[in-house]
Amino acid sequence: MCEGGGGPPAPAVQIRQNQQPSRRLPDFLQSVNLKYVKLGYHYLITHLLTLLLIPLILVILVEGAQTDPHDLKQLWLHLQYNLVSVIVCSVFLVFGSTVYIMTRPRPVYLLDYACYRPPPALQVRYTQFMEHSRLTGDFDDSSLDFQRKILERSGLGEETYVPEAMHCIPPRPSMAAARDEAEQVMFGALDNLFATASIKPKDIGILVVNCSLFNPTPSLSSMIVNKYKLRGNIRSYNLGGMGCSAGVIAIDLAKDLLQIHRNTYAVVVSTENITQNWYFGNKKSMLIPNCLFRVGCSAVLLSNKGVDRRRAKYKLVHVVRTHRGADDKAFRCVYQEQDDHGKVGVSLSKELMAIAGGALKTNITTLGPLVLPVSEQLLFFSTLVVKKLFNTKIKPYIPDFKLAFDHFCIHAGGRAVIDELEKNLQLLPVHVEASRMTLHRFGNTSSSSIWYELAYIEAKGRMRKGNRVWQIAFGSGFKCNSAVWEALRYVKPSPKSPWEDCIDRYPVTIAA
């Protein structure tokens, strides 16, 4: 018998009030670590050669435009009698051009992407979820009441999805069912991608797949190679156990590989598997993910071919990764383990919100020098220097990230984090709308959530040429990762967008 279901025990950046301490993020922008500012400027200086060459080229072009035929004749006569100088200058020019071409990073373009939308039969409503949980017989009254309160305050709507095996009573979390879920979501997203991007699977040279909690043998990446008969020399990678921020990590890995391998395409598949990762115990720190996580998957097509710029949607501008795993508390704050009765789940630490805030502070402090306008950087850096030199109690200037980004895709890990980021970064409701509505419509889809959010912005017709998008995600370990994209044209929603049949109903009002 199949009726309803829940979500998987996977990392989520949310915690209950009654678990102590506070659900609020720390006011991380009021205490800035100078070494992370230095790191951001270090990234900026790596492009110093390019920054210096641009003014030089402009000066040469201006001078050349003012040169008349008589001047060119005199220059030619002068060069005829200075052959050694000509040779030296030519060698220097060729050497400099070669160094520049060899060291400059190759641009990475996003041609298209697709997000999987499950069939309506897999939707689960609150009442179904609670009735299903009760009928399993695994949860006591206290746990059932706890899950009900989490659902009511989660920000999830009534149309989220769980896999077929979790609709059954009793649930059937078998290896075969988990494979079926993985195939359904990955192949569904990839079928849409190949259809809309007009690219053949044989053209793919790099494949990166990330899924935190389900890593079978053969791997998920091998399942894709087998399904689409990808070529034998494809460079495939399978990332596991990296939490909800693994999607940005996978993009970063694909970017690095595209710097090495010329004229090729890379596909990044981001998903999570629920079937074998639902917690059937009564430890409250392990029950929250059951209520938040839902089915989802994204497939992203990247290219390093210069000719693809004309048809690309976005260009990858920056990726900044922060890893706090060296700290024991951060390492264990999202931890998969067995409870006292031997049931496996992911335990969320009471200090999760504070750890997330620290990782976020580090990440945005590093990112700031790369993306903020000069005016914001000067105000920020000058107040920081005054504070350090004179040891005053002056508060650091809080940069306005709205001047650097037009759109924000904050990982839909939980309502509390979206609320706190809106407050701490001084964002407007429209800036977090995509995150809130994605959480409401699809739930926490782990590493793929930032792509459902980008699809929402496109479906609303808000993505214009030159707009910058900030994708930011949190994950176990503990990690906070950011990706920055620039729109290369007015971006229309792709066919079979996950919002295709419901965008007119959004945004919706979410009860407090």
Side-chain angles (χ1 to χ4, degrees):
M1 179 180 178
C2 298
E3 290 189 2
V13 188
Q14 181 159 339
I15 196 162
R16 289 275 294 132
Q17 281 182 318
N18 63 359
Q19 283 185 270
Q20 302 299 327
S22 172
R23 298 172 64 204
R24 302 175 66 86
L25 286 174
D27 194 4
F28 50 83
L29 286 175
Q30 296 304 318
S31 59
V32 179
N33 195 322
L34 187 59
K35 71 177 181 180
Y36 298 119
V37 179
K38 292 179 180 177
L39 182 59
Y41 281 103
H42 170 72
Y43 290 157
L44 184 66
I45 293 302
T46 58
H47 302 288
L48 182 62
L49 181 60
T50 303
L51 296 176
L52 292 177
L53 282 177
I54 291 175
L56 178 61
I57 293 173
L58 291 176
V59 170
I60 293 174
L61 291 175
V62 171
E63 291 296 328
Q66 297 176 349
T67 303
D68 55 36
H70 177 71
D71 293 331
L72 293 175
K73 183 177 180 181
Q74 292 297 320
L75 178 62
W76 173 252
L77 292 174
H78 177 73
L79 293 176
Q80 283 182 316
Y81 296 102
N82 292 275
L83 184 60
V84 174
S85 299
V86 172
I87 294 175
V88 171
C89 290
S90 299
V91 170
F92 178 78
L93 182 63
V94 171
F95 178 76
S97 301
T98 302
V99 171
Y100 173 72
I101 293 172
M102 294 296 290
T103 57
R104 73 183 181 95
R106 301 178 188 277
V108 173
Y109 302 109
L110 190 158
L111 301 187
D112 210 342
Y113 67 97
C115 297
Y116 174 70
R117 185 176 61 187
L122 297 184
Q123 288 182 355
V124 57
R125 298 182 178 275
Y126 288 3
T127 54
Q128 289 177 291
F129 180 92
M130 292 309 304
E131 181 65 10
H132 174 97
S133 297
R134 184 184 66 81
L135 291 174
T136 61
D138 292 294
F139 306 106
D140 58 30
D141 291 342
S142 176
S143 294
L144 289 171
D145 186 59
F146 179 77
Q147 291 182 80
R148 180 184 58 79
K149 291 179 180 178
I150 290 289
L151 278 175
E152 291 173 351
R153 302 173 184 178
S154 65
L156 273 68
E158 298 275 16
E159 298 179 281
T160 60
Y161 306 90
V162 296
E164 185 176 354
M166 306 314 294
H167 277 278
C168 298
I169 300 176
R172 301 170 185 170
S174 64
M175 173 63 77
R179 285 184 183 273
D180 288 343
E181 181 194 347
E183 291 176 355
Q184 185 181 28
V185 300
M186 293 193 305
F187 299 164
L190 285 167
D191 287 345
N192 289 344
L193 179 65
F194 290 137
T196 58
S198 300
I199 186 173
K200 298 177 182 178
K202 288 286 187 182
D203 295 332
I204 304 302
I206 298 167
L207 173 64
V208 183
V209 181
N210 69 269
C211 181
S212 187
L213 292 173
F214 182 61
N215 293 284
T217 300
S219 66
L220 298 178
S221 59
S222 294
M223 290 166 60
I224 294 173
V225 172
N226 177 260
K227 165 68 175 180
Y228 295 97
K229 308 305 177 188
L230 302 184
R231 61 198 200 196
N233 66 342
I234 189 169
R235 295 164 178 86
S236 66
Y237 300 84
N238 203 93
L239 307 180
M242 305 190 80
C244 300
S245 67
V248 178
I249 297 173
I251 290 292
D252 191 37
L253 175 58
K255 178 204 71 174
D256 290 343
L257 292 168
L258 287 170
Q259 300 302 310
I260 301 170
H261 305 288
R262 294 176 175 270
N263 298 317
T264 191
Y265 295 110
V267 168
V268 174
V269 179
S270 299
T271 188
E272 191 51 86
N273 194 281
I274 297 174
T275 298
Q276 285 193 309
N277 295 291
W278 193 4
Y279 175 60
F280 292 97
N282 291 290
K283 187 175 180 179
K284 288 184 172 56
S285 64
M286 293 182 174
L287 283 171
I288 297 174
N290 281 14
C291 304
L292 297 179
F293 278 75
R294 297 295 186 263
V295 170
C297 180
S298 64
V300 182
L301 176 62
L302 304 174
S303 172
N304 60 7
K305 300 181 180 181
V307 296
D308 283 332
R309 180 184 175 89
R310 290 175 295 179
R311 68 186 184 109
K313 287 186 173 183
Y314 303 95
K315 177 183 176 181
L316 182 61
V317 182
H318 301 293
V319 176
V320 174
R321 294 168 54 181
T322 300
H323 201 309
R324 301 296 296 272
D327 178 79
D328 289 341
K329 290 183 179 180
F331 175 72
R332 295 188 63 93
C333 73
V334 181
Y335 202 79
Q336 188 178 26
E337 60 184 353
Q338 291 179 311
D339 64 13
D340 295 338
H341 300 284
K343 296 183 178 181
V344 177
V346 173
S347 177
L348 304 183
S349 167
K350 297 177 181 179
E351 299 174 328
L352 176 59
M353 293 297 285
I355 292 167
L360 179 61
K361 181 185 75 173
T362 301
N363 190 268
I364 67 173
T365 306
T366 303
L367 181 66
L370 300 176
V371 298
L372 289 170
V374 174
S375 59
E376 289 294 295
Q377 294 196 43
L378 289 176
L379 287 170
F380 171 74
F381 195 70
S382 59
T383 55
L384 189 62
V385 169
V386 169
K387 181 178 177 65
K388 293 293 181 181
L389 291 180
F390 300 101
N391 197 28
T392 63
K393 294 184 178 180
I394 183 173
K395 292 183 177 180
Y397 174 73
I398 302 175
D400 187 356
F401 280 89
K402 297 188 295 293
L403 297 176
F405 302 110
D406 303 280
H407 307 286
F408 298 79
C409 295
I410 301 166
H411 165 55
R415 185 174 180 175
V417 167
I418 298 174
D419 290 345
E420 289 303 309
L421 281 177
E422 178 183 10
K423 175 185 175 182
N424 277 277
L425 296 181
Q426 301 177 354
L427 302 180
L428 301 174
V430 69
H431 294 132
V432 295
E433 181 182 311
S435 300
R436 291 192 192 282
M437 297 307 105
T438 295
L439 183 64
H440 182 272
R441 177 64 181 83
F442 295 100
N444 182 349
T445 62
S446 191
S447 56
S448 64
S449 69
I450 53 178
W451 297 104
Y452 286 86
E453 294 165 18
L454 186 60
Y456 179 89
I457 296 169
E458 293 176 3
K460 282 295 184 181
R462 297 172 181 172
M463 191 62 68
R464 307 291 177 179
K465 182 178 180 180
N467 282 181
R468 284 198 167 194
V469 185
W470 182 13
Q471 292 180 323
I472 184 164
F474 304 89
S476 57
F478 189 86
K479 298 178 287 292
C480 177
N481 299 319
S482 294
V484 179
W485 303 87
E486 180 181 352
L488 299 178
R489 54 185 168 88
Y490 168 67
V491 182
K492 298 179 180 179
S494 299
K496 298 184 178 180
S497 163
W499 299 93
E500 189 175 42
D501 66 342
C502 62
I503 191 63
D504 293 337
R505 294 191 277 115
Y506 284 89
V508 298
T509 301
I510 302 174

